Amino acid sequence: MIAAVNSVLGQRITGGLLPQVEFDVDDQGVTSADPIFPPIWEIGLQTIAFAVIFWLIWKFGGPPIKKYYAGRTERIQREMDAAIAAKTEAEAEAARIRTSLGDIEAEREQIKAEAREQAASMLTEGRARLEVEVAELEERAVAEIASIAGRSGDELRGEITRHASRAVDVVVAESIDEAVHQQLIEDFISRVGSSGASAGTNGPGSTGA
Amino acid sequence: MTIDDNRIEGYARALFEVARADGTLDEVEDELFRFARSYESSETLRTTLADEGIPAGKRQAIVEDLLGDSATPTTVQLISMVVGSGRASDLVAIVDALVQRASSAKNLEVAEVRSAVPLTDDQQARLKAAVANATGKQVNLKVVVDPSVVGGLVATVGDTVIDGTVRTKVEQLKARL
């Protein structure tokens, strides 16, 4: 059993290049060879094999590995340089932004100041215009009130006159009876007769008798 | 003087001559004058007698019915003649010209007196004398009853007006109001 295992292990390790080792097993199952230290020839043989393998690896695998690491170092260095450049550019951009922010702030303050000034000016002008308009409205209202009052007065006077005229007509018509008619006629004749040749001849128009 | 004035004067002269030949000049003149004043104050009468759409015979019949026995036949015939000849619109002017002509023929000035009530003969005589005294002219007094004067009298002699009417006093009072 053990011999079979060693055989398999020996083939895997050496690739079938090493000679097969035979162990003698006694009746108790123990081999006559040293179970810890292999025989010297085996050690020498494996050292040579190791040296050969090491040389092969160093010969054929070393340059690509060196090249790989050199490229990796270069790439890292390039990325670091790019990162430094980006950082520098970002700092410059940040400085510009800060400057721009400062300019914007100043401009905003200036705009606010101008707006405040303009608003104050508009307020002043608006108040002045409003005062003028209010004064004009008051003046117009006073004139209109006076006009309405005048019209009302005129209408009232007209109405009174119309009523008075009607009253005069009615009173006069009712107060003149036959006796009054005769008295008026007699008065007229007397006055015209006593007025003389030149009296009551004032030309066209009315001459009271 | 216009053609119309000449025509009016012609009619007045014709009426004057007819009335004088008939020997009723004073009466006819007075009746014509009073009819003219009534005609002047009545729009319905003016419109009817001056309406060319109404046959002349019908308009003349209206005049005869209107005056009837209240005027002399000469007066009725003269007015009828003027209306029939289509000169009704000039009737007042023709009559006034006739009255003026009649007064001038007697060296009188026409004095038109308007009164709200009729005047008695005595009042007319005294008024005639008073007006003559006031104007210094002999007058041919023509009295018109005109209720619009309300009371009193107004006399017009030529261009002179002597106004003693209540209407004028009321108008003056209204003007002061």
Side-chain angles (χ1 to χ4, degrees):
Chain A
M1 179 67 181
I2 293 172
V5 170
N6 283 336
S7 175
V8 171
L9 285 174
Q11 281 183 350
R12 286 185 178 174
I13 295 170
T14 62
L17 296 176
L18 297 179
Q20 194 69 32
V21 178
E22 294 289 339
F23 297 101
D24 296 329
V25 179
D26 58 12
D27 295 338
Q28 282 92 26
V30 178
T31 63
S32 58
D34 192 340
I36 298 173
F37 297 104
I40 196 71
W41 59 270
E42 185 179 346
I43 292 171
L45 189 61
Q46 288 188 358
T47 301
I48 292 166
F50 175 78
V52 169
I53 290 169
F54 182 81
W55 179 82
L56 287 172
I57 291 171
W58 180 80
K59 180 67 178 178
F60 297 104
I65 291 171
K66 279 184 181 176
K67 188 178 180 183
Y68 167 74
Y69 278 106
R72 185 168 174 269
T73 303
E74 188 181 353
R75 192 175 67 246
I76 290 169
Q77 185 62 47
R78 204 166 45 243
E79 287 177 356
M80 283 178 68
D81 291 345
I84 290 167
K87 184 186 173 190
T88 307
E89 191 175 346
E91 284 175 354
E93 186 65 27
R96 276 200 303 277
I97 289 171
R98 276 194 294 275
T99 305
S100 299
L101 282 175
D103 292 344
I104 289 169
E105 185 66 27
E107 192 174 353
R108 191 172 64 186
E109 288 302 322
Q110 186 181 354
I111 289 170
K112 282 166 68 179
E114 287 176 358
R116 276 196 295 271
E117 189 179 348
Q118 195 171 357
S121 172
M122 286 173 67
L123 194 63
T124 307
E125 288 177 4
R127 277 178 182 158
R129 195 167 56 244
L130 202 63
E131 284 175 2
V132 170
E133 285 178 3
V134 167
E136 285 177 357
L137 281 173
E138 282 180 354
E139 192 178 347
R140 211 176 303 156
V142 168
E144 197 166 344
I145 289 168
S147 171
I148 290 169
R151 273 205 306 274
S152 300
D154 290 344
E155 287 172 3
L156 190 60
R157 277 192 290 276
E159 194 67 21
I160 290 170
T161 303
R162 278 193 293 279
H163 286 304
S165 296
R166 275 194 225 113
V168 167
D169 288 337
V170 171
V171 169
V172 169
E174 287 180 353
S175 63
I176 297 179
D177 55 11
E178 184 58 30
V180 175
H181 275 302
Q182 294 305 318
Q183 188 60 48
L184 288 169
I185 291 168
E186 292 301 327
D187 287 348
F188 182 85
I189 293 170
S190 300
R191 289 181 188 178
V192 172
S194 63
S195 62
S198 60
T201 57
N202 299 334
S206 294
T207 303
Chain B
M1 190 175 278
T2 64
I3 294 173
D4 280 344
D5 291 340
N6 285 331
R7 188 176 290 125
I8 288 167
E9 198 58 37
Y11 271 96
R13 189 166 60 248
L15 296 183
F16 174 78
E17 294 300 338
V18 168
R20 191 165 64 174
D22 196 45
T24 56
L25 180 59
D26 290 346
E27 196 175 2
V28 168
E29 176 207 342
D30 191 55
E31 288 172 352
L32 286 173
F33 181 82
R34 282 191 276 119
F35 180 79
R37 298 290 80 80
S38 301
Y39 180 79
E40 163 177 76
S41 62
S42 170
E43 187 180 349
T44 306
L45 188 59
R46 282 201 313 273
T47 308
T48 305
L49 296 185
D51 188 354
E52 296 291 332
I54 300 173
K58 195 169 183 179
R59 282 182 280 149
Q60 289 173 319
I62 292 171
V63 171
E64 289 164 9
D65 288 346
L66 195 63
L67 293 174
D69 296 333
S70 62
T72 60
T74 307
T75 302
V76 176
Q77 286 168 7
L78 290 175
I79 295 172
S80 182
M81 185 267 288
V82 171
V83 170
S85 61
R87 309 308 305 175
S89 57
D90 295 328
L91 184 62
V92 172
I94 291 169
V95 170
D96 287 346
L98 166 68
V99 171
Q100 190 63 47
R101 176 176 285 275
S103 299
S104 298
K106 290 182 282 189
N107 290 321
L108 298 176
E109 191 81 21
V110 177
E112 183 186 298
V113 175
R114 289 178 177 270
S115 170
V117 295
L119 299 182
T120 63
D121 291 342
D122 176 55
Q123 285 173 329
Q124 288 190 37
R126 286 189 287 118
L127 180 59
K128 186 175 180 180
V131 172
N133 186 43
T135 60
K137 299 170 184 173
Q138 292 302 308
V139 295
N140 180 9
L141 195 70
K142 297 295 180 189
V143 178
V144 179
V145 177
D146 181 0
S148 70
V149 301
V150 184
L153 303 171
V154 54
T156 306
V157 184
D159 293 334
T160 303
V161 178
I162 306 169
D163 195 341
T165 60
V166 173
R167 178 182 63 190
T168 300
K169 290 187 171 68
V170 168
E171 291 301 326
Q172 289 171 347
L173 178 63
K174 286 180 180 177
R176 279 205 299 274
L177 285 175

